[in-house]
Amino acid sequence: MPTIVVEVMPKAELLDPQGKAIAGALARTGRGDFQVRQGKRFELSVEGQVTDELLAQVREIADDVLSNSVIEDVVNVRVLETAPEA
């Protein structure tokens, strides 16, 4: 069963309080060399073949349902590569 992955991130110009909290926790543990932004990952499993039409439908769903276009960007929609079945 193919899986389509949708990745959503806060818009670059907006503050990311969750990312800042993670960066602060890293700094407190002596690993403060990172800037962190936290996003969301959705996995949609589908029956059958993943077609261009299906990917277009998923992109529309990502824009309309999975993200808030005021504060987030859909940064990636891709088919998750799976290992061949034995």
Side-chain angles (χ1 to χ4, degrees), residues 11-32:
K11 290 187 178 282
E13 62 271 12
L14 296 179
L15 293 176
D16 178 11
Q18 291 173 314
K20 291 208 178 294
I22 295 165
L26 289 173
R28 287 188 298 278
T29 63
R31 294 171 273 195

Side-chain angles (χ1 to χ4, degrees), residues 1 24 29 36 38 44 59 69-70 72-73:
M1 178 178 299
T29 63
V36 180
Q38 181 178 338
L44 291 80
R59 285 185 184 94
S69 63
V70 174
E72 297 172 318
D73 289 322

Side-chain angles (χ1 to χ4, degrees), residues 33-73:
D33 297 336
F34 301 99
Q35 292 183 4
V36 180
R37 295 192 59 78
Q38 181 178 338
K40 297 184 279 189
R41 172 185 163 129
F42 299 91
E43 293 185 0
L44 291 80
S45 298
V46 296
E47 294 288 338
Q49 193 88 5
V50 176
T51 63
D52 289 340
E53 292 81 17
L54 181 61
L55 283 175
Q57 182 181 5
V58 169
R59 285 185 184 94
E60 185 177 315
I61 290 168
D63 288 335
D64 293 345
V65 178
L66 303 179
S67 67
N68 177 343
S69 63
V70 174
I71 61 170
E72 297 172 318
D73 289 322

